[in-house]
Amino acid sequence: MHTDWRDALEPFVSSADFAALRARVRSAYDREQILPAYEHIYAALQLCSLAQTRVVILGQDPYPTPGQAHGLAFSVLPPTQPPPSLRNILTEIASDLGRPAHIALGDLTPWARQGVLLLNAVLTCRAHAPLSHAGLGWEAFTDAIIRTVSEHREHVVFLLWGAKAKAKRALIDPKRHLVLTAAHPSPLSAYNGFFGCRHFSQANAYLLAHGQEPIDW
């Protein structure tokens, strides 16, 4: 992960709990097909430093289909076609902003490089088994990341989609940041409050109001 993340998260990273988590994860990779690739586990924290973070999008866990997850929540690398949740995100961007998203297929790396932390609550999973690593210990680590952003940054936009993401709201100081919530973009729930949420234009309006460059979604 980026050095400023390591420094800010040092109390947790140096803890016995994190050492035990790393051991469990390493053992899982040795025994089974785990996603994303081991070297991509911390991709979100490599591509978007703490100092650079201006928007946080919180996902659930990596795509469970081999060839999709690469360490950024909701993102896939070309030539992989966007999965349904990502297609719905791109549909909402087009509706909200009046033009298609400025990305190649489903690769959200350009967002990360602009300061969008694309963080999953659980950073790994077993292939073909969604949420198989829930309870492994990642939740405490990603809670620490969210608290760190809330405490160390000013005027960050948090986009919390779905019940699991909304549960993290208590970790964020609403006096210092903008917290926007909606239904999850999954096909099962997108029509129950994700479509029409206009989070992308609202995020940019907030950033501009606080002297920051908007995200080129």
Side-chain angles (χ1 to χ4, degrees), residues 47-67:
L47 290 170
C48 181
S49 69
L50 173 59
Q52 185 187 15
T53 299
R54 301 186 289 136
V55 177
V56 177
I57 296 179
L58 186 64
Q60 181 174 274
D61 68 335
Y63 291 124
T65 302

Side-chain angles (χ1 to χ4, degrees), residues 170-195:
L171 304 172
I172 305 162
D173 184 350
K175 297 178 181 178
R176 299 174 64 174
H177 308 288
L178 176 64
V179 182
L180 299 176
T181 64
H184 194 277
S186 161
L188 298 174
S189 56
Y191 285 97
N192 294 326
F194 179 76
F195 288 137

Side-chain angles (χ1 to χ4, degrees), residues 95-119:
S95 173
D96 185 10
L97 304 182
R99 50 91 177 156
H102 291 162
I103 59 169
L105 289 180
D107 182 7
L108 305 184
T109 300
W111 294 4
R113 296 194 186 282
Q114 293 177 75
V116 180
L117 181 64
L118 295 157
L119 181 69

Side-chain angles (χ1 to χ4, degrees), residues 105-193:
L105 289 180
D107 182 7
L108 305 184
T109 300
W111 294 4
R113 296 194 186 282
Q114 293 177 75
V116 180
L117 181 64
L118 295 157
L119 181 69
N120 280 316
V122 175
L123 299 188
T124 58
C125 73
R126 191 167 65 252
H128 308 293
L131 288 176
S132 51
H133 282 186
L136 195 68
W138 284 124
E139 292 89 346
F141 179 58
T142 54
D143 281 0
I145 292 171
I146 295 167
R147 285 195 199 93
T148 296
V149 175
S150 181
E151 294 169 3
H152 289 255
R153 301 287 292 145
E154 296 284 348
H155 308 309
V156 171
V157 182
F158 290 82
L159 305 184
L160 307 182
W161 301 332
K164 290 185 179 297
K166 291 175 187 177
K168 307 289 190 184
R169 188 169 191 162
L171 304 172
I172 305 162
D173 184 350
K175 297 178 181 178
R176 299 174 64 174
H177 308 288
L178 176 64
V179 182
L180 299 176
T181 64
H184 194 277
S186 161
L188 298 174
S189 56
Y191 285 97
N192 294 326

Side-chain angles (χ1 to χ4, degrees), residues 58-109:
L58 186 64
Q60 181 174 274
D61 68 335
Y63 291 124
T65 302
Q68 293 186 340
H70 68 107
L72 301 182
F74 295 107
S75 182
V76 292
L77 294 176
T80 303
Q81 294 295 315
S85 291
L86 180 53
R87 287 201 300 270
N88 288 339
I89 291 170
L90 300 180
T91 296
E92 175 59 23
I93 288 174
S95 173
D96 185 10
L97 304 182
R99 50 91 177 156
H102 291 162
I103 59 169
L105 289 180
D107 182 7
L108 305 184
T109 300

